[in-house]
Amino acid sequence: MGMLRHAIAGLVVVFGVSTAPASASLPSGQWPLATGGSLRAPLAWQQSTGDGVVVAVLDTGVQTDRAELRGHIWTNPGEVPGNAIDDDSDGVVDDVHGADFVNGDRTPADDNGHGSHVAGIIAGHGLIRGLAPGVTILPVKVLGAGKSGNAHWLAQGIDYAVARGARILNVSVNGDGVSEELESAIRAAQSAGAVIVASAGNGGRDLGATPSYPVSYPEPAVVGVGATGAGGRRAPFSNFGPGVDVTAPGEAILSLGLQGLAYRSGTSMAAAYVSATLALEAAAAPGLPATALRDALLGSAGAGAAVNAAAAVQTVAGPVAKKKAKRRHRRHRSRSARHRTTHR
């Protein structure tokens, strides 16, 4: 990988994530979903659970056989499993449940746990609950077991996810080098109507002085996410400054581990909550363009740019509900008019 890494200006993707054993006290690990939490998750669930929305998780892969994700893993309708043929001619053979650009195969298996943790935050159910439990996860492996990769793999992953129809891409990935290939993939995704939710990074630094990518790319489709703790303050490890559009919970978050459950802290976790919020919006207002989803997300953020999922969903669902009510009213008036005409 050395030549490839050199060819992309030395971009190496790394994480600064802490892990701890799972606790028997499940509610405390899912504190962002509490009634009084900044996300206002219970109120958001009254309007949407993300049903029918595909969120691509570009990460270390996803454990697709986990019970907590059962029924919520994307299946490629154009592939025949196990026939060793690229049935849909997308360049990946037998990519039934996503793709692996690290090993160049069809199986986006998670050999670290990071990607599964992110997927659980978004769409988990059972022992844990994701913020958007109705979402379908598209696993795209762009990081290896050591949570490292390169811009080429990430660019390939973005292209693949967009081609598969994903319009919300969770990219909990950070690197210090600029890559023309990666930015080109982001621009193409933007043109296709996708939103790229990018973690701010865990160096505790000002991105205005020391940028990180892809969060520091200027394309409007990139939504940068910083992390907060339970008190709503910026987490000490979270990067901040230009490129960070919103914040979300990212400290001591309980979700899936390689085995059982695990706590992790990082802007990666925060990004997952933002991707889930966008999915809730998309399900509440089908057909709404990604730019409108992004604007609703940013416009509903409170103090410290904290994401409020309930407010974001209400922003997009309100106009939809009014339009439906108007249509019902018009149909009612039409039926009444026909009734009057028939019974004169």
Side-chain angles (χ1 to χ4, degrees):
M1 194 170 74
M3 291 180 62
L4 179 59
R5 188 177 296 172
H6 176 73
I8 58 169
L11 177 63
V12 180
V13 184
V14 295
F15 293 93
V17 179
S18 61
T19 60
S23 167
S25 180
L26 182 60
S28 66
Q30 296 212 277
W31 59 267
L33 305 183
T35 299
S38 61
L39 294 172
R40 301 294 190 269
L43 288 176
W45 292 330
Q46 292 178 15
Q47 302 174 85
S48 174
T49 55
D51 293 46
V53 178
V54 175
V55 175
V57 174
L58 288 80
D59 213 292
T60 61
V62 175
Q63 291 179 307
T64 58
D65 59 350
R66 292 296 294 267
E68 295 84 358
L69 297 174
R70 186 174 296 136
H72 294 266
I73 297 296
W74 176 84
T75 298
N76 188 346
E79 280 292 331
V80 177
N83 68 351
I85 297 174
D86 182 10
D87 298 288
D88 61 359
S89 301
D90 67 351
V92 184
V93 175
D94 287 344
D95 55 325
V96 178
H97 297 300
D100 177 350
F101 292 98
V102 176
N103 301 300
D105 60 36
R106 66 186 184 277
T107 308
D110 188 358
D111 44 15
N112 175 272
H114 189 276
S116 297
H117 197 277
V118 165
I121 291 172
I122 297 170
H125 55 278
L127 291 177
I128 57 169
R129 183 178 177 92
L131 177 56
V135 153
T136 296
I137 296 292
L138 168 56
V140 184
K141 186 177 177 69
V142 296
L143 301 172
K147 297 174 291 187
S148 63
N150 58 58
H152 177 61
W153 294 342
L154 182 54
Q156 284 183 302
I158 290 173
D159 290 342
Y160 176 86
V162 172
R164 301 281 72 74
R167 292 296 173 263
I168 301 171
L169 281 61
N170 190 93
V171 183
S172 291
V173 174
N174 301 96
D176 294 339
V178 176
S179 163
E180 291 185 7
E181 180 186 15
L182 177 55
E183 189 168 12
S184 177
I186 289 172
R187 288 173 180 160
Q190 179 171 277
S191 297
V195 178
I196 296 172
V197 180
S199 56
N202 302 327
R205 73 192 196 211
D206 182 352
L207 295 177
T210 310
S212 180
Y213 299 95
V215 67
S216 293
Y217 284 125
E219 283 70 24
V222 178
V223 176
V225 186
T228 59
R233 294 180 178 274
R234 178 173 62 86
F237 56 77
S238 179
N239 288 346
F240 58 93
V244 178
D245 300 297
V246 292
T247 61
E251 279 192 327
I253 307 299
L254 183 65
S255 186
L256 301 180
L258 273 182
Q259 295 182 347
L261 305 179
Y263 283 93
R264 287 183 182 252
S265 296
T267 56
S268 295
M269 289 65 249
Y273 282 121
V274 172
S275 293
T277 298
L278 288 166
L280 294 178
E281 292 180 52
L288 200 66
T291 51
L293 298 178
R294 181 184 187 276
D295 289 347
L297 175 83
L298 301 182
S300 62
V307 165
N308 181 329
V313 174
Q314 182 57 47
T315 298
V316 299
V320 171
K322 288 179 180 178
K323 287 180 181 179
K324 288 182 178 178
K326 287 182 179 179
R327 286 197 294 268
R328 287 195 298 268
H329 181 64
R330 285 195 295 267
R331 287 197 296 268
H332 176 72
R333 291 183 61 184
S334 177
R335 286 195 297 268
S336 297
R338 288 197 300 270
H339 179 77
R340 288 194 300 271
T341 301
T342 304
H343 293 85
R344 279 181 178 175

